[in-house]
Amino acid sequence: IVAHDLSPADASQIQLERIKGFVTDRGGKDSHTSIVAKSLNIPAVLGLGTATIEVKNDDILIVDGSTGTMIINPDEDTLFDYEDRMSRYEDYRAGLLRESHLPAVTRDDVSFNLMANIELVEEIVAAKDYGASDIGLFRTEFLYLDLKRFPTEDELLCKYKELVELMSPNGVTIRTLDINGDKVNPYLTAIEEANPSLGLRAVRFCLENEDIFITQLKAILRAAAFGNIKLLIPMISCVEEIIQVKQVIGKAIIELEQEDKIFNKDIPLGAMIEIPSAVMMAEQLADHVDFFSIGTNDLIQYTMAIDRRNRRVAHLYQALNPAVLKLIKLTYDAARAKNIDLVMCGEMAGEPINIPVLVGMGLSNFSMNSVSIPAVKKLIRNIDTKHAKQVFEKIMTMTNAKEITDTILDEYSDILPLGTTDKKS
């Protein structure tokens, strides 16, 4: 597919048996459309600007998702070269998959928990095949985007119940509706926002549309009677919001009791930490929740003040920027001080080059696209945590992302997976 843009809803509808890759004029490698491409395990090159003008029907294309390169009508030598590279990559992936059942335990015997981010119940089979211990993030908005209306409580319950029963006895973290932003609801009459990423999205939308929120909460609480569920609230920016959320949960519980429905009200409540203000108030937020989940995709976007779909500022989207690392460390310290669990569920957790830094910082729970799990597991099995902590302390004295990246490549070049240096370029 070559298109001006693909919404996350469009990308999620791609028929894998027919589509081998996609290219867009807009977007970037860290947009939600890119995340969907990773979960589908197909190459995508986004934000090329003029792809729809340059590419003609019946052109032969090479789409290299590892370097962000598209080649139009390659010559024979280039075609052979890429066919060889693709064959070697597939052999490498097959080798990783054979080891996906092995535990994520470091050389000095420290265990890590690797979970999967999914958007559709149908992805559970792949998550298990790739070695996920749990579902660390179930994005619920695609159940809404696939319909021409808001789903009913029973429709949501049917999906959530299927999800938890397929994963049982392992756990599932269900994130409440994160609509608008880059996931615009096609049947919702909304006021156009100049900057939707800073607008009425996620928990803000849910608190303003309480009836929609309560419907989802009731379905989640009912599904929790059939399996191990955690409830995760996205885009919390202040303590007042999590207090409001808990009040709405209380209303949902009262309605379920009045309707005499079977449900489980005693499920862990978590806040997504993806806004700098939430980081600065993390210790206070921890008094109101059972766990934190760091959403690095938006945390990086808001910290660096960039639109991650805008290719003109995409170079500033840096997971290893010192400011980003300091915010993650503050969140880790707050969770540890308040003795609550901490998970990283953003794309940063699935990029092998970031793992030594996160291990050195002390994080031990990561949730990522299923296809990333085998490579991250293998890397963790080759890391010594004591050495990682020493490298992390050195990294935290550095002032730019390039210096940090170069240090990681120098320290871990012998164990970083195939393609890591390509991604850097």
mmCIF file of all heavy atoms in Angstrom, residues 237-259:
data_model
loop_
_atom_site.group_PDB
_atom_site.id
_atom_site.type_symbol
_atom_site.label_atom_id
_atom_site.label_comp_id
_atom_site.label_asym_id
_atom_site.label_seq_id
_atom_site.Cartn_x
_atom_site.Cartn_y
_atom_site.Cartn_z
ATOM 1 N N SER A 237 -2.755 13.175 34.202
ATOM 2 C CA SER A 237 -1.859 14.338 34.280
ATOM 3 C C SER A 237 -1.776 14.934 35.676
ATOM 4 O O SER A 237 -0.880 15.730 35.958
ATOM 5 C CB SER A 237 -2.304 15.423 33.295
ATOM 6 O OG SER A 237 -3.602 15.882 33.631
ATOM 7 N N CYS A 238 -2.720 14.540 36.566
ATOM 8 C CA CYS A 238 -2.719 15.125 37.902
ATOM 9 C C CYS A 238 -3.461 14.210 38.867
ATOM 10 O O CYS A 238 -4.197 13.307 38.452
ATOM 11 C CB CYS A 238 -3.353 16.516 37.895
ATOM 12 S SG CYS A 238 -5.039 16.540 37.246
ATOM 13 N N VAL A 239 -3.285 14.453 40.145
ATOM 14 C CA VAL A 239 -3.913 13.627 41.181
ATOM 15 C C VAL A 239 -5.433 13.713 41.099
ATOM 16 O O VAL A 239 -6.140 12.711 41.283
ATOM 17 C CB VAL A 239 -3.410 14.060 42.578
ATOM 18 C CG1 VAL A 239 -4.190 13.344 43.679
ATOM 19 C CG2 VAL A 239 -1.911 13.785 42.719
ATOM 20 N N GLU A 240 -5.960 14.910 40.789
ATOM 21 C CA GLU A 240 -7.415 15.081 40.739
ATOM 22 C C GLU A 240 -8.066 14.121 39.750
ATOM 23 O O GLU A 240 -9.166 13.609 39.995
ATOM 24 C CB GLU A 240 -7.783 16.523 40.341
ATOM 25 C CG GLU A 240 -7.273 17.586 41.299
ATOM 26 C CD GLU A 240 -5.955 18.191 40.849
ATOM 27 O OE1 GLU A 240 -4.952 17.439 40.800
ATOM 28 O OE2 GLU A 240 -5.933 19.394 40.547
ATOM 29 N N GLU A 241 -7.383 13.859 38.636
ATOM 30 C CA GLU A 241 -7.966 12.972 37.616
ATOM 31 C C GLU A 241 -8.115 11.547 38.121
ATOM 32 O O GLU A 241 -9.145 10.906 37.894
ATOM 33 C CB GLU A 241 -7.114 12.996 36.342
ATOM 34 C CG GLU A 241 -7.383 14.175 35.449
ATOM 35 C CD GLU A 241 -6.469 14.226 34.233
ATOM 36 O OE1 GLU A 241 -5.356 13.643 34.280
ATOM 37 O OE2 GLU A 241 -6.856 14.866 33.240
ATOM 38 N N ILE A 242 -7.104 11.029 38.797
ATOM 39 C CA ILE A 242 -7.204 9.648 39.276
ATOM 40 C C ILE A 242 -8.268 9.540 40.372
ATOM 41 O O ILE A 242 -8.961 8.528 40.485
ATOM 42 C CB ILE A 242 -5.827 9.104 39.737
ATOM 43 C CG1 ILE A 242 -5.836 7.560 39.706
ATOM 44 C CG2 ILE A 242 -5.436 9.605 41.099
ATOM 45 C CD1 ILE A 242 -5.901 6.948 38.346
ATOM 46 N N ILE A 243 -8.448 10.596 41.162
ATOM 47 C CA ILE A 243 -9.518 10.612 42.166
ATOM 48 C C ILE A 243 -10.876 10.589 41.476
ATOM 49 O O ILE A 243 -11.785 9.841 41.876
ATOM 50 C CB ILE A 243 -9.373 11.840 43.098
ATOM 51 C CG1 ILE A 243 -8.118 11.689 43.979
ATOM 52 C CG2 ILE A 243 -10.614 12.024 43.963
ATOM 53 C CD1 ILE A 243 -7.779 12.921 44.788
ATOM 54 N N GLN A 244 -11.030 11.391 40.403
ATOM 55 C CA GLN A 244 -12.273 11.388 39.627
ATOM 56 C C GLN A 244 -12.544 10.009 39.031
ATOM 57 O O GLN A 244 -13.679 9.520 39.050
ATOM 58 C CB GLN A 244 -12.200 12.424 38.503
ATOM 59 C CG GLN A 244 -12.419 13.859 38.937
ATOM 60 C CD GLN A 244 -12.366 14.781 37.720
ATOM 61 O OE1 GLN A 244 -11.295 15.266 37.328
ATOM 62 N NE2 GLN A 244 -13.503 15.010 37.107
ATOM 63 N N VAL A 245 -11.502 9.389 38.498
ATOM 64 C CA VAL A 245 -11.645 8.055 37.907
ATOM 65 C C VAL A 245 -12.159 7.070 38.949
ATOM 66 O O VAL A 245 -13.080 6.276 38.683
ATOM 67 C CB VAL A 245 -10.303 7.571 37.318
ATOM 68 C CG1 VAL A 245 -10.346 6.070 37.027
ATOM 69 C CG2 VAL A 245 -9.967 8.340 36.046
ATOM 70 N N LYS A 246 -11.605 7.116 40.142
ATOM 71 C CA LYS A 246 -12.024 6.186 41.198
ATOM 72 C C LYS A 246 -13.477 6.442 41.610
ATOM 73 O O LYS A 246 -14.211 5.499 41.941
ATOM 74 C CB LYS A 246 -11.085 6.313 42.399
ATOM 75 C CG LYS A 246 -9.666 5.821 42.087
ATOM 76 C CD LYS A 246 -8.703 6.036 43.218
ATOM 77 C CE LYS A 246 -8.726 4.904 44.213
ATOM 78 N NZ LYS A 246 -7.582 4.975 45.152
ATOM 79 N N GLN A 247 -13.911 7.683 41.533
ATOM 80 C CA GLN A 247 -15.312 7.991 41.821
ATOM 81 C C GLN A 247 -16.232 7.380 40.761
ATOM 82 O O GLN A 247 -17.297 6.831 41.081
ATOM 83 C CB GLN A 247 -15.514 9.510 41.893
ATOM 84 C CG GLN A 247 -14.872 10.148 43.124
ATOM 85 C CD GLN A 247 -14.846 11.672 43.065
ATOM 86 O OE1 GLN A 247 -15.054 12.274 42.006
ATOM 87 N NE2 GLN A 247 -14.564 12.302 44.211
ATOM 88 N N VAL A 248 -15.808 7.441 39.491
ATOM 89 C CA VAL A 248 -16.614 6.852 38.411
ATOM 90 C C VAL A 248 -16.633 5.332 38.529
ATOM 91 O O VAL A 248 -17.667 4.687 38.302
ATOM 92 C CB VAL A 248 -16.087 7.295 37.020
ATOM 93 C CG1 VAL A 248 -16.911 6.649 35.913
ATOM 94 C CG2 VAL A 248 -16.126 8.811 36.886
ATOM 95 N N ILE A 249 -15.489 4.745 38.899
ATOM 96 C CA ILE A 249 -15.451 3.296 39.123
ATOM 97 C C ILE A 249 -16.453 2.925 40.222
ATOM 98 O O ILE A 249 -17.170 1.917 40.119
ATOM 99 C CB ILE A 249 -14.028 2.835 39.503
ATOM 100 C CG1 ILE A 249 -13.073 2.998 38.321
ATOM 101 C CG2 ILE A 249 -14.033 1.372 39.977
ATOM 102 C CD1 ILE A 249 -11.598 2.774 38.656
ATOM 103 N N GLY A 250 -16.511 3.744 41.264
ATOM 104 C CA GLY A 250 -17.484 3.511 42.342
ATOM 105 C C GLY A 250 -18.914 3.525 41.829
ATOM 106 O O GLY A 250 -19.741 2.690 42.232
ATOM 107 N N LYS A 251 -19.226 4.442 40.903
ATOM 108 C CA LYS A 251 -20.568 4.490 40.312
ATOM 109 C C LYS A 251 -20.852 3.234 39.492
ATOM 110 O O LYS A 251 -21.969 2.694 39.522
ATOM 111 C CB LYS A 251 -20.706 5.730 39.420
ATOM 112 C CG LYS A 251 -20.703 7.051 40.179
ATOM 113 C CD LYS A 251 -20.822 8.231 39.214
ATOM 114 C CE LYS A 251 -20.719 9.561 39.954
ATOM 115 N NZ LYS A 251 -20.790 10.714 39.016
ATOM 116 N N ALA A 252 -19.840 2.768 38.748
ATOM 117 C CA ALA A 252 -20.001 1.551 37.941
ATOM 118 C C ALA A 252 -20.282 0.348 38.839
ATOM 119 O O ALA A 252 -21.136 -0.500 38.520
ATOM 120 C CB ALA A 252 -18.746 1.315 37.106
ATOM 121 N N ILE A 253 -19.595 0.285 39.994
ATOM 122 C CA ILE A 253 -19.802 -0.820 40.942
ATOM 123 C C ILE A 253 -21.219 -0.785 41.507
ATOM 124 O O ILE A 253 -21.889 -1.817 41.616
ATOM 125 C CB ILE A 253 -18.745 -0.756 42.064
ATOM 126 C CG1 ILE A 253 -17.368 -1.139 41.504
ATOM 127 C CG2 ILE A 253 -19.127 -1.664 43.231
ATOM 128 C CD1 ILE A 253 -16.211 -0.888 42.463
ATOM 129 N N ILE A 254 -21.696 0.411 41.863
ATOM 130 C CA ILE A 254 -23.060 0.550 42.387
ATOM 131 C C ILE A 254 -24.087 0.073 41.362
ATOM 132 O O ILE A 254 -25.031 -0.665 41.691
ATOM 133 C CB ILE A 254 -23.331 2.010 42.806
ATOM 134 C CG1 ILE A 254 -22.508 2.368 44.052
ATOM 135 C CG2 ILE A 254 -24.815 2.243 43.068
ATOM 136 C CD1 ILE A 254 -22.510 3.840 44.406
ATOM 137 N N GLU A 255 -23.897 0.445 40.090
ATOM 138 C CA GLU A 255 -24.835 0.015 39.045
ATOM 139 C C GLU A 255 -24.837 -1.505 38.896
ATOM 140 O O GLU A 255 -25.896 -2.126 38.758
ATOM 141 C CB GLU A 255 -24.481 0.674 37.704
ATOM 142 C CG GLU A 255 -24.847 2.142 37.630
ATOM 143 C CD GLU A 255 -24.732 2.700 36.210
ATOM 144 O OE1 GLU A 255 -24.733 1.904 35.252
ATOM 145 O OE2 GLU A 255 -24.645 3.938 36.084
ATOM 146 N N LEU A 256 -23.657 -2.112 38.922
ATOM 147 C CA LEU A 256 -23.561 -3.573 38.790
ATOM 148 C C LEU A 256 -24.232 -4.271 39.968
ATOM 149 O O LEU A 256 -24.894 -5.311 39.795
ATOM 150 C CB LEU A 256 -22.096 -4.004 38.687
ATOM 151 C CG LEU A 256 -21.389 -3.677 37.366
ATOM 152 C CD1 LEU A 256 -19.885 -3.911 37.494
ATOM 153 C CD2 LEU A 256 -21.951 -4.513 36.215
ATOM 154 N N GLU A 257 -24.077 -3.706 41.161
ATOM 155 C CA GLU A 257 -24.727 -4.289 42.345
ATOM 156 C C GLU A 257 -26.245 -4.180 42.230
ATOM 157 O O GLU A 257 -26.978 -5.138 42.536
ATOM 158 C CB GLU A 257 -24.233 -3.585 43.605
ATOM 159 C CG GLU A 257 -22.781 -3.937 43.973
ATOM 160 C CD GLU A 257 -22.230 -3.108 45.109
ATOM 161 O OE1 GLU A 257 -22.784 -2.012 45.381
ATOM 162 O OE2 GLU A 257 -21.224 -3.529 45.715
ATOM 163 N N GLN A 258 -26.719 -3.036 41.754
ATOM 164 C CA GLN A 258 -28.163 -2.845 41.596
ATOM 165 C C GLN A 258 -28.744 -3.770 40.534
ATOM 166 O O GLN A 258 -29.893 -4.205 40.628
ATOM 167 C CB GLN A 258 -28.458 -1.383 41.249
ATOM 168 C CG GLN A 258 -28.190 -0.406 42.401
ATOM 169 C CD GLN A 258 -28.297 1.044 41.977
ATOM 170 O OE1 GLN A 258 -28.259 1.380 40.789
ATOM 171 N NE2 GLN A 258 -28.437 1.937 42.961
ATOM 172 N N GLU A 259 -27.915 -4.077 39.514
ATOM 173 C CA GLU A 259 -28.370 -4.956 38.430
ATOM 174 C C GLU A 259 -28.143 -6.435 38.757
ATOM 175 O O GLU A 259 -28.465 -7.310 37.946
ATOM 176 C CB GLU A 259 -27.630 -4.584 37.133
ATOM 177 C CG GLU A 259 -28.006 -3.197 36.614
ATOM 178 C CD GLU A 259 -26.958 -2.637 35.641
ATOM 179 O OE1 GLU A 259 -25.976 -3.330 35.335
ATOM 180 O OE2 GLU A 259 -27.146 -1.481 35.199
#
